[in-house]
Amino acid sequence: MLQQAMIISQARESYYEKAIFHAIRGAIILVVGLILLWVEHSVVAMIKSSMWISIAVAVPMILITLGICILLWAVWVVIQSNRISYVTVGCPYCDEPVQFTAQPTSDFDCPYCHRHVQFEDGFMLPVQVVECTFCSAKHRVSIKAQSYTCDRCNQVIKLTTTAEQEAAQPRADTYYDVILTQAGRNADEVAMALQSIMVCTLKEAKMVIERLPAPVAQDIPYIKAESIRDQLRGLGAMAIMIPGNRIPT
Ligand SMILES: [Zn+2]
Ligand SMILES: [Zn+2]
């Protein structure tokens, strides 16, 4: 089972909590050990049995060593928290890079814009740019959203979902964009396909893959858009088609 991807700041927080817990425990044991060491002479003077004397001498040393070890462990946990490897995913709403402990496959709340980023079948759902029909403000909205309340003029904008758009009969006069939302497992093959689709270098194609979702073809006829989308899907990538005018270039 793959470990659930966690936002790196949250993962670090749990490391810090663990480190603080260890540090407090280590410090208490160390202090108790030091107190016992301090009173050792008077305790030893009172004891007659040699066995109990060796225990009275050993116990503070054991506690001090244990306390120091636990404190060092806490330091090690903090060092580890800064070494967590991460995957960067661009928030589809605010474009801020969000760092995860692994490739995210389920919904998360963006720590920058606090919007809910949705996933379906392990893939991030792309967003569409919607222009408010009342005040012309542009908003990024989930393709699953059926309506959106404009945060500038408070008017409700009705939306058609991408599924509805895809189900609708293609119109000859409508041009489409192909949006690549996830590269999938064969990112190298997808990059090579993008090279010919976008007429660019392999390096440029890889740069596109690093910041998804991204349009890979724009304002092209339905048939052509469909074949590009299917080609990308065939390589294990996730791609969708949306009418060209929905996403400004
Ligand atoms: Zn965001
Ligand atoms: Zn508005």
Side-chain angles (χ1 to χ4, degrees), residues 180 182-184 186-195 197 205 209 232 235-237:
L180 178 64
Q182 289 276 335
N186 310 315
D188 286 339
E189 281 177 49
V190 174
M192 280 188 267
L194 286 187
Q195 236 185 309
I197 294 167
I209 288 179
L232 292 169
L235 293 170

Side-chain angles (χ1 to χ4, degrees), residues 115-137:
R115 292 188 65 175
H116 191 67
V117 180
Q118 289 176 299
F119 279 69
E120 199 172 86
D121 302 328
F123 292 106
M124 191 193 285
L125 282 175
V127 296
Q128 56 183 333
V129 176
V130 173
E131 194 175 310
C132 173
T133 39
F134 303 94
C135 72
S136 297

Side-chain angles (χ1 to χ4, degrees), residues 91 93-94 110 112-113:
C91 168
Y93 295 107
C94 66
C110 171
Y112 298 98
C113 66

Side-chain angles (χ1 to χ4, degrees), residues 10-179:
Q10 290 169 354
R12 284 211 177 106
E13 248 167 58
S14 76
Y15 268 84
Y16 292 151
E17 273 170 24
K18 210 158 91 179
I20 290 169
F21 173 75
H22 286 315
I24 291 173
R25 216 169 52 160
I28 291 173
I29 293 172
L30 183 64
V31 167
V32 171
L34 288 171
I35 291 171
L36 289 181
L37 185 70
W38 189 46
V39 297
E40 195 189 274
H41 291 294
S42 31
V43 172
V44 167
M46 287 190 293
I47 307 172
K48 299 261 156 34
S49 149
S50 64
M51 187 191 83
W52 284 104
I53 289 175
S54 41
I55 291 175
V57 174
V59 165
M61 293 322 287
I62 291 170
L63 289 179
I64 290 169
T65 314
L66 189 66
I68 291 172
C69 286
I70 295 175
L71 281 174
L72 288 175
W73 167 257
V75 172
W76 188 79
V77 169
V78 172
I79 294 170
Q80 285 307 304
S81 75
N82 290 311
R83 282 194 188 156
I84 311 172
S85 60
Y86 57 83
V87 187
T88 303
V89 174
C91 168
Y93 295 107
C94 66
D95 290 331
E96 288 291 343
V98 187
Q99 294 169 340
F100 286 89
T101 52
Q103 188 68 37
T105 50
S106 56
D107 295 9
F108 68 87
D109 290 314
C110 171
Y112 298 98
C113 66
H114 305 292
R115 292 188 65 175
H116 191 67
V117 180
Q118 289 176 299
F119 279 69
E120 199 172 86
D121 302 328
F123 292 106
M124 191 193 285
L125 282 175
V127 296
Q128 56 183 333
V129 176
V130 173
E131 194 175 310
C132 173
T133 39
F134 303 94
C135 72
S136 297
K138 285 186 174 139
H139 305 283
R140 294 193 195 183
V141 182
S142 163
I143 56 160
K144 286 269 160 181
Q146 300 192 338
S147 66
Y148 180 76
T149 308
C150 174
D151 52 19
R152 211 167 92 178
C153 67
N154 266 332
Q155 296 278 359
V156 177
I157 313 159
K158 279 240 165 279
L159 304 167
T160 50
T161 64
T162 308
E164 282 165 13
Q165 288 164 20
E166 285 200 352
Q169 279 296 313
R171 280 168 43 204
D173 60 346
T174 307
Y175 287 84
Y176 285 82
D177 289 352
V178 180
I179 315 287

